[in-house]
Amino acid sequence: MTQNGIFKFSLATLAFSAFAFVGSIAVTQETSPTFKISLFEAEGFTISKTINLDADFAAKNEGLEILAPFKISIPEQSDITPLYNVGDGSTGEILTISFATGNKETPIEERKLVENIRFVTMSLPLTDPTERLDNLATVIKNHIFVAATDGYEQIQYVGAKSSTVGDLIVLEAVGQYVDPSIGLMLLHIVGYPNPNNANSIFAVSSIVADKFEFSTYDDLSLTGGGRTMASFEYIDE
């Protein structure tokens, strides 16, 4: 689906519960005190896995098409396990990473959501760089954020800014909402304009606020998901 000629993805991609886990993990409201997860320092975090989302990856997953190949690195976190869902090609969603408490031996029913990230295809015409970022800011605020928070409560869009990820100039936006079954959720969105192609990627991270001790919205970049989003790099094919 194309909206305003700028991007294409199914709103249903983000509008359904953003906290569905691999294996249909039931995410319920905490009934006992939760432990806080440490934020990564600006430097020195450990990478445990790098994933190339390219033609080879797509070929191994029926129906999946990756128009803008990229790679990401997943940081190692104590007592946190990343779980993966691959898109089926029907919505533009490529990959969802859900960070859950526990290790690989922890039973599914005992895991709790910490945060998750969705990487989704978009089309962003190659216009003047400033105009392109302005267009992306409008898309994120009026479409991506709206889709990501649809059906939730106390929704607040905080704002957006341009920043850099490696050699890329990107657009970051933050906001928040309340999921009645979990509590306060923080939203971190990054749009990655592909400098050589209209086909681009955006990422949406939903973070359980109670799992961290945040001082400012800038701290969202210091979670495991934030570090994953900051590792983004397009692959030349």
Side-chain angles (χ1 to χ4, degrees):
M1 175 170 58
T2 302
Q3 305 209 16
N4 297 337
I6 297 173
F7 75 111
K8 50 186 178 182
F9 76 112
S10 169
L11 294 184
T13 299
L14 299 173
F16 72 84
S17 175
F19 313 108
F21 282 81
V22 174
S24 299
I25 297 176
V27 180
T28 58
Q29 190 169 6
E30 300 286 357
T31 57
S32 59
T34 61
F35 66 92
K36 300 290 183 180
I37 297 162
S38 298
L39 296 172
F40 285 101
E41 297 294 334
E43 303 292 341
F45 60 96
T46 302
I47 298 298
S48 60
K49 185 174 185 177
T50 297
I51 304 175
N52 286 356
L53 288 304
D54 54 13
D56 289 341
F57 183 92
K60 297 174 184 176
N61 295 277
E62 185 177 356
L64 184 63
E65 183 179 18
I66 301 178
L67 300 176
F70 64 96
K71 65 180 179 180
I72 50 174
S73 297
I74 317 301
E76 181 179 315
Q77 301 178 81
S78 177
D79 297 319
I80 299 294
T81 302
L83 306 171
Y84 303 92
N85 272 331
V86 179
D88 62 7
S90 63
T91 63
E93 183 174 332
I94 297 171
L95 180 69
T96 298
I97 306 171
S98 296
F99 294 93
T101 57
N103 55 39
K104 293 181 179 179
E105 285 70 46
T106 303
I108 290 291
E109 64 274 11
E110 294 181 12
R111 296 180 185 270
K112 299 293 183 181
L113 176 72
V114 174
E115 57 181 321
N116 73 6
I117 317 168
R118 296 176 185 273
F119 291 92
V120 185
T121 297
M122 65 176 173
S123 180
L124 192 65
L126 288 168
T127 58
D128 172 82
T130 299
E131 179 185 358
R132 204 173 188 220
L133 280 181
D134 288 343
N135 289 339
L136 180 55
T138 299
V139 167
I140 287 176
K141 180 178 181 181
N142 295 338
H143 298 286
I144 297 174
F145 179 81
V146 170
T149 57
D150 183 43
Y152 296 112
E153 302 174 355
Q154 300 180 43
I155 297 166
Q156 180 183 359
Y157 182 81
V158 175
K161 66 178 182 178
S162 63
S163 60
T164 58
V165 169
D167 294 331
L168 289 176
I169 298 176
V170 304
L171 200 290
E172 291 189 75
V174 295
Q176 64 185 51
Y177 60 93
V178 171
D179 181 325
S181 67
I182 298 177
L184 178 63
M185 304 295 300
L186 303 177
L187 203 63
H188 183 195
I189 302 170
V190 180
Y192 305 93
N194 189 336
N196 303 315
N197 199 309
N199 294 315
S200 300
I201 301 294
F202 68 85
V204 179
S205 176
S206 299
I207 303 157
V208 181
D210 184 55
K211 295 294 187 184
F212 299 90
E213 293 182 351
F214 294 113
S215 298
T216 71
Y217 281 100
D218 288 338
D219 288 345
L220 300 186
S221 65
L222 301 179
T223 69
R227 285 305 184 190
T228 300
M229 294 163 82
S231 72
F232 182 99
E233 183 180 343
Y234 283 112
I235 300 172
D236 292 328
E237 289 195 330

